[in-house]
Each structure stands twice: as C-alpha cells, then as structure tokens.
Amino acid sequence: MAESKPTPLEPSKLGTKAYWDALYTTELTTHTADPSLEGTVWFDDSDAEAKILSYLSPQDGSHPNHPHPHSLSPATASVLDLGCGNGSLLFSLRDDGWSGHLLGVDYSPHSIALARQVALSRESESLKTVEFKVWDVLNGDIPSISPPEAAQGWDLVLDKGTFDAVSLSDEKDSQGRRINEGYGERVLQLLRTGGVFFVTSCNWTEAELREWFETSTAPNDQNTKLRMVGRIDYPSFSFGGVKGQTISTLCFEKVVVDA
C-alpha cells in the first residue's frame, strides 16, 4: 500500500455526533409541524442527486457518453446509503424506479427518526418503501445490515457528504489514526466484488478522493481493492490558472487485484 495521504482537515463541530443530533432534532420538529419541509438536501445547489441518478440510469444506449458501463439493475440492485440524513437520495432513487433493497443508515437516531417520518408522509406513493436503521459506519456490526438476498455484499454504496463529516472529526481509531483513514476499508467490507461506490465531497478534490480510496486503502484479505471507474462533471471555475469544481463525485468499483 502506498503511504500517500492528503493533508488532514482541521477538526470541526461538523465532525461531532452532537452537532448532527442537534441538527436533525430541529429538522424533525420542523417536519412534524409542516410535512412539506423535509430537511436539508446536501449539495442541492449543485444538483448532485439528479446527476447521480443520471449516471446510474440503465444502460439502454440512450447515454452514449456514459462514463462507466455498470451492470446494476434498478429492479434488483441492493443499495446502501451511508449517513443517509433525511433519506432524500434514497427517495429519489425509489422515485426513479429503483425498487430493490434500499437501506439508509446513520449514527444519529434523530436522523433516522426524521427519515422514517418523511417516509411515512410519502407512504401513499406506489413504489417500494425505503428502510432506515441506526448504524455507525465505522463501528457498526456489518452482518447486521447485510442485504439478505446477497450475503456477499451490497451492489451499490452511496456517500453524499458523510466522508466529509467523518474527516472533520478529531477522533482516533485503535491504530491511532484519524477515523476517516479507515473509511475505505469499511467500504470494501460492505461492497460485493464488482459493486460500486459513489462518494460526493466538498472538502476533498478528485485527486484527494482517489488518494484516500484508491491509493491509501489497501487490498483486503480477499485481495480486492477500490478502483476509480468514473466521475461526474459539475460546473467548473478557474482561479490562478487552476481549474476546479466546488464539489466532486467519483465512482469506484470493488475489483480483484491482479496476481
């Protein structure tokens, strides 16, 4: 494994569970008073959810420039959303025809309470219900959330801002690392071989995300690793001769390492 890692972020209150519990408590109260107010949709100003859905659209020849010809079927693919918040991304997938096993997890019980309440307010919709569970991405028991129909792992794992929040925590793991350094290892454990992982970030550049998930995350005991296979384009800007985006979304596939 290469030792290259991006420069750590300065810790912030956004990396604490207390911050997210307080935020989702407020949003839960607001939704109770007015069900039309479902809470924050992260990266909504960049239209991230719509872009992710477009990327994941079935490969029927209608997207000739599709960056990654995945084989996921909306009818059967199992989907796990890490740090699901109010469940917005999973609801969008469901409304777009993804009717397999959809599970959102979050370590804040107030987030899960909000997501479940939003789901109930939408229960008249005809598509399959989304499931939500309180679960810690870094410390939760993986078998407890494994899709029953696919014991080898999830077909699709999503992260829209959760790695950002974890990267703002000053907590250390049992190896003395900042806890975000073990995030890629957990993603590998959650995915089936051939499954894909989407991560959207406003704190890390594309190059840094590749370092975290493709370079710094070592192959696991099954000799699999994460390999970048695609990216999503967002409006770019130039400053000082350098071109960039305000957010980044990369797609990684869990692949077997060549012998």
Side-chain angles (χ1 to χ4, degrees):
M1 179 181 86
E3 293 299 323
S4 174
K5 293 186 178 72
T7 302
L9 302 178
E10 286 295 319
S12 158
K13 64 181 181 181
L14 275 72
T16 67
K17 184 172 178 294
Y19 174 86
W20 298 106
D21 280 343
L23 174 73
Y24 289 118
T25 295
T26 299
E27 293 196 342
L28 183 60
T29 301
T30 300
H31 183 262
T32 299
D34 184 349
S36 70
L37 302 176
E38 296 183 345
T40 305
V41 177
W42 303 108
F43 308 124
D44 189 41
D45 55 348
S46 298
D47 208 19
E49 288 192 0
K51 290 180 179 294
I52 291 170
L53 263 62
S54 177
Y55 187 113
L56 288 168
S57 59
Q59 306 304 287
D60 56 5
S62 62
H63 295 75
N65 298 318
H66 202 285
H68 175 225
H70 64 78
S71 59
L72 301 177
S73 166
T76 60
S78 58
V79 183
L80 176 66
D81 187 11
L82 302 177
C84 62
N86 64 355
S88 175
L89 181 53
L90 289 178
F91 292 132
S92 293
L93 281 167
R94 186 192 64 179
D95 294 345
D96 203 45
W98 290 71
S99 55
H101 186 184
L102 307 183
L103 173 64
V105 297
D106 202 292
Y107 73 165
S108 170
H110 307 285
S111 158
I112 297 303
L114 172 62
R116 288 173 175 167
Q117 185 166 288
V118 171
L120 285 173
S121 71
R122 295 177 170 215
E123 67 181 356
S124 61
E125 299 176 11
S126 61
L127 294 176
K128 188 174 180 179
T129 301
V130 181
E131 183 183 6
F132 296 100
K133 289 184 179 180
V134 178
W135 191 76
D136 187 328
V137 173
L138 294 174
N139 300 301
D141 178 57
I142 289 178
S144 70
I145 63 156
S146 295
E149 69 280 4
Q152 70 270 27
W154 294 85
D155 296 314
L156 173 61
V157 173
L158 303 167
D159 175 321
K160 189 158 65 72
T162 299
F163 182 62
D164 278 357
V166 172
S167 298
L168 293 169
S169 172
D170 63 359
E171 291 184 49
K172 301 290 181 66
D173 65 16
S174 60
Q175 300 179 44
R177 307 175 299 178
R178 289 274 293 271
I179 57 173
N180 68 302
E181 294 188 40
Y183 197 90
E185 298 164 14
R186 293 288 283 183
V187 171
L188 267 179
Q189 290 178 282
L190 290 164
L191 278 172
R192 67 165 174 82
T193 301
V196 292
F197 169 57
F198 275 80
V199 57
T200 301
S201 170
C202 63
N203 288 338
W204 301 108
T205 65
E206 290 187 1
E208 289 169 331
L209 289 173
R210 290 194 73 170
E211 285 187 47
W212 280 124
F213 294 105
E214 191 174 53
T215 304
S216 298
T217 298
N220 62 12
D221 293 341
Q222 287 73 48
N223 217 33
T224 59
K225 65 169 290 184
L226 295 170
R227 180 184 67 191
M228 179 183 159
V229 291
R231 61 185 294 277
I232 289 177
D233 285 318
Y234 294 96
S236 60
F237 65 91
S238 294
F239 182 78
V242 177
K243 187 176 181 180
Q245 300 177 160
T246 55
I247 71 169
S248 299
T249 298
L250 295 186
C251 177
F252 296 87
E253 183 178 6
K254 181 176 177 178
V255 299
V256 176
V257 179
D258 293 334

